[in-house]
Amino acid sequence: MTVLDDIIGGVREDLAERRRHVSLEQIRQDALAAPAPLDAFAALGGGLGGEVAVIAEVKRSSPSKGALADIADPAALAASYERGGAAVISVLTEARRFGGSLADLAAVRAAVGLPVLRKDFTVDEYQIWEARAHGADVVLLIVAALGDDDLRSFLDLTHELGMNAIVETHTEGEVRRAVAAEASIIGVNVRNLKTLEIDRRVFAGLAHLVPAGTVVIAESGVRDVDDVAGYAASGANAVLVGEALVRHADPSATITEFTAAGRAAWQAAGVAANS
């Protein structure tokens, strides 16, 4: 059994428990009564290039690193991300491995005016309705965890609800599946979900497979401005950053630095291309 398989097993158990308390019909009603979602695709630059948006993560722990930060007030942390110039706030809601909750998501939604991503392991349409009911504008769809039929139907549901989905990939085959499903936002995660090891070279090897006009996100492995610049030079429109922010004394300033580094790298790449 892989790490991903183990996580998904726990996700399904926890989901079943929530469904016993709140029916699909009730969660649908709650989702449809929620304020209209914000446009994350536009917030991430619409796939146009020239900038690197930062998706800043509220993340307490991870399977690879264990405890990262004791985040007593996720709303305050998210507000600091917004002040630093983050484009989207990502909130981990998986409890067993990441220490997150839907309460964190709701608190962050109430605190910021940016699109909010519910970052979890989506395996059932209930979770998409649930995300919308708690104020999420974006959900994560991991290609490795979904068959093509579910991937397409989940994407269709996000569109029906006015939401966006980040379709996460790890291999060439997964990128091609995401493109075939007509995903408008594709993440390339450089962390191997079987071993949890990071190889930043994976991004450059896969990003060129994504069609123009699609937002491309570099996921995992962002430690500093050099990593952001490297991803930008390989075509990243955005970077998803968790550990480097939650462990930093001034995450707001770090986001500002990362954004500037990404912009400079895009400008340098443009000069090189035109010289």
Side-chain angles (χ1 to χ4, degrees), residues 178-192:
V179 172
E182 300 182 345
S184 60
I185 307 174
I186 295 178
V188 175
N189 194 336
V190 303
R191 185 185 300 281
N192 186 313

Side-chain angles (χ1 to χ4, degrees), residues 106-185:
V108 169
R109 171 70 287 159
V112 301
L114 303 175
V116 175
L117 162 67
R118 181 196 184 175
K119 192 153 183 274
D120 209 322
F121 296 78
T122 305
V123 294
D124 191 288
E125 71 167 82
Y126 183 98
Q127 293 166 282
I128 299 174
W129 290 101
E130 188 178 51
R132 183 82 280 274
H134 287 80
D137 310 286
V138 197
V139 294
L140 181 71
L141 303 178
I142 302 175
V143 174
L146 300 170
D148 288 338
D149 289 344
D150 279 343
L151 177 60
R152 287 181 178 274
S153 67
F154 291 173
L155 272 172
D156 288 345
L157 178 56
T158 62
H159 296 157
E160 290 171 16
L161 293 175
M163 304 173 75
N164 292 116
I166 296 175
V167 179
E168 180 176 297
T169 64
H170 303 81
T171 67
E172 179 176 339
E174 290 177 10
V175 173
R176 296 194 185 282
R177 288 178 60 202
V179 172
E182 300 182 345
S184 60
I185 307 174

Side-chain angles (χ1 to χ4, degrees), residues 11 14-32 34 93-94 101-103 105-106 118 120-139 157 161 163:
V11 166
D14 293 343
L15 171 60
E17 180 63 24
R18 294 197 304 278
R19 291 187 76 148
R20 278 193 283 271
H21 294 280
V22 182
S23 69
L24 176 59
E25 181 56 34
Q26 182 60 58
I27 208 69
R28 281 176 171 167
Q29 292 178 19
D30 293 345
L32 295 174
T93 61
E94 196 280 334
S101 69
L102 286 165
L105 177 63
R118 181 196 184 175
D120 209 322
F121 296 78
T122 305
V123 294
D124 191 288
E125 71 167 82
Y126 183 98
Q127 293 166 282
I128 299 174
W129 290 101
E130 188 178 51
R132 183 82 280 274
H134 287 80
D137 310 286
V138 197
V139 294
L157 178 56
L161 293 175
M163 304 173 75

Side-chain angles (χ1 to χ4, degrees), residues 48 67 72 115 194 238 242 268:
L48 298 177
K194 296 180 180 179

Side-chain angles (χ1 to χ4, degrees), residues 83-105:
R83 290 193 298 272
V88 172
I89 308 297
S90 170
V91 183
L92 267 299
T93 61
E94 196 280 334
R96 301 188 185 204
R97 297 293 192 99
F98 295 89
S101 69
L102 286 165
D104 289 346
L105 177 63

